[in-house]
Amino acid sequence: VQLQASGGGSVQAGGSLRLSCAASGRSFSGAGMGWFRQAPGKEREFVSFIRGDGSRTYYEDSVKRRFIISRNNAENTVYLQMNSLKREDTAVYYCAASGRLHSFSTWYQKPEEFEYWGQGTLVTVSS
């Protein structure tokens, strides 16, 4: 699976952006898809995850009620709608995919559990 993330940019605090992650190369519908972010000098952190069939979504606490993850399996694309952006949301955002089985329920929060990664897209939020 090859992943191509896009949609980053510069926005003022309170604004919105929509990230996209287009997948190619293999069947996409069975893969769980996640978004992670990495701010300068910090470790990569979990943002959001959606199951392969879109039946369940998960969010890191700081983005709940502001971000919405969705997917369109027919178009092999996953989205991250980011609303009410804050300065602390500034980071490079990465999409990731995993099609394998995992041994614990919160695996999707761990970057090392994902086999495929996009190249990252920069989101800059200014006050």
Side-chain angles (χ1 to χ4, degrees):
V1 175
Q2 289 79 46
L3 304 177
Q4 181 72 39
S6 61
S10 297
V11 63
Q12 289 194 329
S16 298
L17 283 174
R18 189 193 196 200
L19 305 184
S20 299
C21 178
S24 62
R26 285 182 60 182
S27 175
F28 170 80
S29 60
M33 299 293 296
W35 286 97
F36 290 77
R37 65 187 179 187
Q38 188 165 18
K42 295 188 176 182
E43 293 186 350
R44 192 168 297 190
E45 66 174 5
F46 168 72
V47 175
S48 186
F49 175 80
I50 186 167
R51 289 188 179 179
D53 60 3
S55 60
R56 291 290 299 271
T57 58
Y58 305 87
Y59 299 92
E60 192 270 330
D61 285 347
S62 70
V63 307
K64 284 181 180 177
R65 294 175 294 280
R66 298 191 297 123
F67 291 9
I68 301 171
I69 191 171
S70 62
R71 66 190 297 161
N72 184 328
N73 285 346
E75 296 183 355
N76 290 338
T77 304
V78 64
Y79 304 97
L80 187 68
Q81 177 67 42
M82 304 187 297
N83 302 317
S84 302
L85 282 162
K86 305 176 180 180
R87 287 190 64 184
E88 51 264 42
D89 294 320
T90 295
V92 177
Y93 284 71
Y94 298 89
C95 59
S98 178
R100 64 184 179 89
L101 295 177
H102 301 268
S103 60
F104 57 106
S105 61
T106 57
W107 65 269
Y108 54 84
Q109 297 178 5
K110 305 295 186 182
E112 60 267 28
E113 294 291 323
F114 289 82
E115 303 92 275
Y116 307 102
W117 288 86
Q119 84 287 4
T121 185
L122 177 63
V123 172
T124 303
V125 183
S126 58
S127 58

